[in-house]
Amino acid sequence: MKRALQINRRLKQAYPDARCALHFKNPLELLVATVLSAQCTDKRVNLVTPAVFKKYRTAQEYATAKPAEFSKLVHSTGFYQNKTKNIRNACNMIVKEYQGKVPGRMEDLVKLPGIGRKTANVI
């Protein structure tokens, strides 16, 4: 842990203005935006997510979203059917196993459908 904190401090010194290009307000929005960013530009995701985040605010709402409606919102990000399925299934698992909160541990994140190590590292 001490080593990780030192590395983090050095990275902040070397890259003081580094930040995520995706726009989000909470871990759930970051999870959704990151899944949508696969095979898509962050710019495109940032154009799509305001409408998504306005319509769906909780993991429960994503989990019970009508696939056709959700797919229509995210269609322009590409691979929209898989992204819809993965976001809905991941949110269903978040509701059932993590009380509606995005887990903070890597080992829990990678258990979520559609979330690999790369995506989990972003989250």
Side-chain angles (χ1 to χ4, degrees), residues 3-121:
R3 182 170 183 253
L5 291 172
Q6 289 174 338
I7 291 169
N8 192 34
R9 188 181 73 248
R10 288 181 183 173
L11 286 170
K12 283 183 180 182
Q13 288 173 345
Y15 305 99
D17 297 325
R19 64 184 192 279
C20 182
L22 297 170
H23 300 163
F24 64 95
K25 293 180 185 152
N26 57 57
L28 180 60
E29 287 185 0
L30 178 58
L31 182 144
V32 170
T34 305
V35 170
L36 293 175
S37 73
Q39 303 295 311
C40 183
T41 65
D42 292 343
K43 184 177 179 180
R44 167 59 53 192
V45 172
N46 288 336
L47 291 173
V48 168
T49 52
V52 173
F53 297 160
K54 184 177 182 181
K55 185 169 177 99
Y56 306 100
R57 298 182 186 272
T58 66
Q60 179 68 42
E61 290 175 354
Y62 283 102
T64 59
K66 292 181 178 159
E69 288 180 19
F70 190 83
S71 290
K72 187 174 180 181
L73 285 173
V74 302
H75 184 271
S76 66
T77 65
F79 301 99
Y80 60 93
Q81 290 174 329
N82 268 351
K83 292 175 183 183
T84 296
K85 181 183 73 164
N86 286 333
I87 289 169
R88 290 181 70 244
N89 289 340
C91 287
N92 188 45
M93 191 171 175
I94 289 169
V95 168
K96 289 182 178 179
E97 297 188 26
Y98 302 102
Q99 296 74 48
K101 304 290 183 203
V102 175
R105 298 180 335 145
M106 173 71 71
E107 51 270 19
D108 294 326
L109 286 168
V110 296
K111 291 177 185 175
L112 299 173
I115 307 296
R117 289 193 67 80
K118 186 176 173 183
T119 301
N121 277 322

